[in-house]
């Protein structure tokens, strides 16, 4: 019988999927931070689509948007997948592509009632998510997750760390991958290149296994598309990195580098 502390090679960060440019492993918590309007929700939706299309249980629980609004954005994203940022998309092709993710769960959550525990119970008992096994859980967003303290609802500054800890505990208990959108402090909207830029107490970045920040790399174009850059501020699974993205605003679509050829070159500032 192996003794506690026996050395080995347990490989705790083996990914079970690559969704919208990010790898995910069971038991991990990722925070995705950005200023308002950059495209956090849209990136989460694309991850959801790709996970569901790969036949993994996948859900987005949103404290900001209704399920109808999420469904509408996802439909426009599929148009972008099939026809690029601006061209007319054939309806039959869009419907066939959208059907690949038909089992994805879109939840509109209540910021007064739907705690992490309530979300966990809902996924297991109402949507048959696995008690133990790979699944993708997207939460939009961390700073609105309700946390009940001894004296009632905790304020935003204090509850964010508790919410992050609860999400990570849920991830580890069930072997799920959890990614939560997080807010930046207003003064850091233009920079956001430090863990202290995250809104909430110091436990927010401490609890996360990975922290990413998305920021604009140039001006919004006339076509409503925007060049973006993703910065890794923390990553327990490997080296930090940065990579480019584009946000195709007309279709709420976060495009990765291998899709940039579908869009005309963007005007970028000189370094």
């Amino acid at each position: 019988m192996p003794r506690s502390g026996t050395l080995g090679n347990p490989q705790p960060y083996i990914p079970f999927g690559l969704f919208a440019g990010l790898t995910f492993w069971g038991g991990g918590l990722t925070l995705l931070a950005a200023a308002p309007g950059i495209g956090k929700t849209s990136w989460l939706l694309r991850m959801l689509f790709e996970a569901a299309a790969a036949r993994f249980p996948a859900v987005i629980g949103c404290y900001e948007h209704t399920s109808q609004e999420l469904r509408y954005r996802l439909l426009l994203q599929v148009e972008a997948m099939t026809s690029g940022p601006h061209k007319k998309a054939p309806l039959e092709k869009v419907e066939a592509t959208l059907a690949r993710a038909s089992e994805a769960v879109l939840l509109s959550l209540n910021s007064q009632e739907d705690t992490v525990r309530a979300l966990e119970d809902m996924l297991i008992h109402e949507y048959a998510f696995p008690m133990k096994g790979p699944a993708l859980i997207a939460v939009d967003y961390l700073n609105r997750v309700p946390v009940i303290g001894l004296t009632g609802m905790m304020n935003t500054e204090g509850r964010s760390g508790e919410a992050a800890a609860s999400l990570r505990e849920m991830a580890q208990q069930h072997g799920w991958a959890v990614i939560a959108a997080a807010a930046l402090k207003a003064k850091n909207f233009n920079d956001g290149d430090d863990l202290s830029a995250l809104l909430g107490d110091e436990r927010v970045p401490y609890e996360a296994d990975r922290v990413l920040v998305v920021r604009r790399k140039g001006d919004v174009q006339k076509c409503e598309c925007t060049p973006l850059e993703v910065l890794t501020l923390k990553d327990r699974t490997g080296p930090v990195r940065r990579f480019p993205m584009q946000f195709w605003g007309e279709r709420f679509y976060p495009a990765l580098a291998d899709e940039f050829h579908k869009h005309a070159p963007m005007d970028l500032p000189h370094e």
Side-chain angles (χ1 to χ4, degrees):
M1 179 180 295
R3 294 179 299 169
S4 176
T6 301
L7 296 178
N9 187 23
Q11 295 292 347
Y13 302 123
I14 296 177
F16 65 80
L18 173 67
F19 312 127
L22 291 183
T23 56
F24 288 93
W25 68 98
L29 171 64
T30 298
L31 295 185
L32 172 60
I38 294 294
K40 298 187 297 295
T41 303
S42 298
W43 197 7
L44 294 180
L45 277 171
R46 180 171 177 182
M47 296 173 197
L48 173 89
F49 175 90
E50 294 188 9
R55 296 296 180 264
F56 290 103
V59 61
I60 180 169
C62 188
Y63 292 91
E64 283 197 289
H65 304 285
T66 66
S67 57
Q68 291 82 5
E69 290 170 338
L70 294 172
R71 191 176 298 111
Y72 174 71
R73 290 189 178 206
L74 192 55
L75 173 64
L76 293 182
Q77 285 196 4
V78 172
E79 291 183 357
M81 293 176 197
T82 58
S83 303
H86 305 297
K87 292 182 180 179
K88 183 177 175 60
L91 181 59
E92 290 185 2
K93 190 174 182 181
V94 169
E95 290 180 342
T97 303
L98 191 59
R100 293 168 46 205
S102 60
E103 295 185 8
V105 179
L106 307 177
L107 292 178
S108 178
L109 301 178
N110 187 310
S111 61
Q112 299 299 313
E113 300 175 358
D114 291 324
T115 63
V116 172
R117 177 57 62 85
L119 173 63
E120 178 183 11
D121 288 344
M122 189 186 310
L123 295 178
I124 293 173
H125 299 297
E126 296 184 28
Y127 293 96
F129 272 56
M131 285 295 296
K132 194 74 174 180
L136 180 67
I137 318 298
V139 176
D140 188 22
Y141 66 99
L142 176 70
N143 309 84
R144 295 195 66 186
V145 177
V147 176
I148 311 299
L150 294 177
T151 59
M153 185 75 69
M154 297 179 64
N155 62 32
T156 302
E157 287 290 334
R159 74 188 182 195
S160 298
E162 290 294 330
S166 295
L167 287 172
R168 186 162 189 256
E169 182 180 348
M170 180 178 72
Q172 292 178 323
Q173 180 178 353
H174 299 291
W176 299 344
V178 178
I179 180 166
L184 290 173
K185 297 173 183 175
K187 64 181 181 180
N188 295 106
F189 282 175
N190 295 325
D191 296 323
D193 55 359
D194 187 280
L195 289 173
S196 64
L198 294 177
L199 181 65
D201 61 47
E202 62 184 9
R203 291 182 63 192
V204 174
Y206 176 83
E207 294 290 347
D209 298 287
R210 182 170 58 183
V211 179
L212 307 173
V213 168
V214 185
R215 64 185 183 186
R216 287 191 179 94
K217 190 61 175 176
D219 296 329
V220 178
Q221 307 293 289
K222 293 180 180 179
C223 61
E224 300 184 20
C225 298
T226 309
L228 304 174
E229 182 180 47
V230 182
L231 306 177
T232 308
L233 301 188
K234 173 185 177 181
D235 195 339
R236 288 175 176 153
T237 68
V240 298
R241 63 181 181 130
R242 63 175 64 199
F243 58 92
M245 288 178 62
Q246 293 177 356
F247 184 59
W248 298 346
E250 181 181 328
R251 285 177 167 159
F252 297 97
Y253 188 73
L256 303 176
D258 62 357
E259 299 169 307
F260 289 179
H261 66 279
K262 299 178 182 178
H263 194 288
M266 291 190 178
D267 295 325
L268 299 177
H270 296 291
E271 297 291 346

